[in-house]
Amino acid sequence: MITNIPTPKEFEDISKQCLTQALNLLFKVYEDIYEVKEYVDKDEIWSHNAGTIRTSLILLHQGIETIMKGTICKTSPFLLLEKNRADWPTLPSKSDKEFGDLFTISGEALLTTYCAVENKITIDNDLIAFIEDVRKKRNNAIHGISEIKTTAEELFENILKAFTFFFGKDSWFVFAREYNLVDPIFGFSGDGLEEFKIHTLLDVALDIIGRKRLNNYISLNIQGRGYYCPSCKREMEEIDYHESKWAFLKPNKPESEKLQCVVCSSEFIVKREDCNDPDCKGNVIHDYGDEPTCLTCFQEQS
Ligand SMILES: [Zn+2]
Ligand SMILES: [Zn+2]
């Protein structure tokens, strides 16, 4: 018998962990760069962190292969076995073997099997080209001693792409947030840290790939002007001043009275009135109890 047969959920969880860690590794370096970006040479920092790029790339590839295995596993985990079927240790005369001790398919065999089974996502040439590109870059990074054929920027966007292809838009920061919430260290730095981290992650992503491309990986339309989220901003003030604005009018129209936050997904009703501060051009006001607040400058309107 073959024992300890894996479930699709196990593969899915491992894939999420790999992709989240791939993103975290790059984010940690970017976070440092972001704080001192005027004074540092980014290329120099990344050349010092070549090992981080390599590890992140390996994790990205692992995350993609694992989610493909999870999908195949829904049809049958036995499709993942490399071994010739005649040699399977399944006859009563054979001793049991754990699934994990048997070789499983990878590379091209994994790709063709993945394309053969039922799948809730659409597989097109773009997805195949993407998977192949990541596989080649990863092979180059682990087999070659030569330089890595990807940049931190390209890798960062490829991680967002993988998340979006396999788990949908927003999943990259939603999983990062879930990961933070289960971290035993989380909570020691006070409330608001979670919002703070995710806002910084979005700021860094915006800085790297720009608003237009970033919108491919976020479900809310972020092309318009950003506003403070009344909820996240108050939470984050517990930690430190944070000026990022990830709430957007929905729809993005001059008369729109609804605002939604990318980070916490909360929706808010807003009034379209000019801010009292003559220096502020804002006209999106949120009633917070008795304290109407301008969501452009966060001044209370008295
Ligand atoms: Zn929010
Ligand atoms: Zn204002």
Side-chain angles (χ1 to χ4, degrees), residues 82-91 94:
E82 179 86 82
K83 224 181 201 346
N84 194 325
R85 250 180 277 176
D87 300 328
W88 282 9
T90 49
L91 296 178
K94 305 264 178 171

Side-chain angles (χ1 to χ4, degrees), residues 199 229 231-232 261 263-266 268:
H199 273 76
C229 165
S231 166
C232 289
C261 172
V263 178
C264 68
S265 358
S266 305
F268 303 91

Side-chain angles (χ1 to χ4, degrees), residues 32-81:
D32 293 341
I33 295 177
Y34 191 71
E35 276 178 22
V36 287
K37 61 180 174 182
E38 284 100 51
Y39 318 104
V40 295
D41 179 358
K42 256 199 272 181
D43 294 340
E44 214 175 288
I45 293 183
W46 280 118
S47 106
H48 174 73
N49 284 288
T52 306
I53 296 184
R54 198 185 297 269
T55 315
S56 169
L57 178 57
I58 293 168
L59 283 168
L60 166 64
H61 173 261
Q62 192 63 51
I64 293 174
E65 287 223 327
T66 311
I67 190 62
M68 286 161 73
K69 286 181 180 175
T71 304
I72 295 167
C73 192
K74 283 181 190 162
T75 298
S76 169
F78 298 111
L79 285 171
L80 292 169
L81 293 178

Side-chain angles (χ1 to χ4, degrees), residues 90-108:
T90 49
L91 296 178
S93 57
K94 305 264 178 171
S95 50
D96 289 357
K97 268 224 161 110
E98 291 210 8
F99 189 94
D101 289 338
L102 301 168
F103 283 108
T104 53
I105 51 171
S106 60
E108 271 174 68

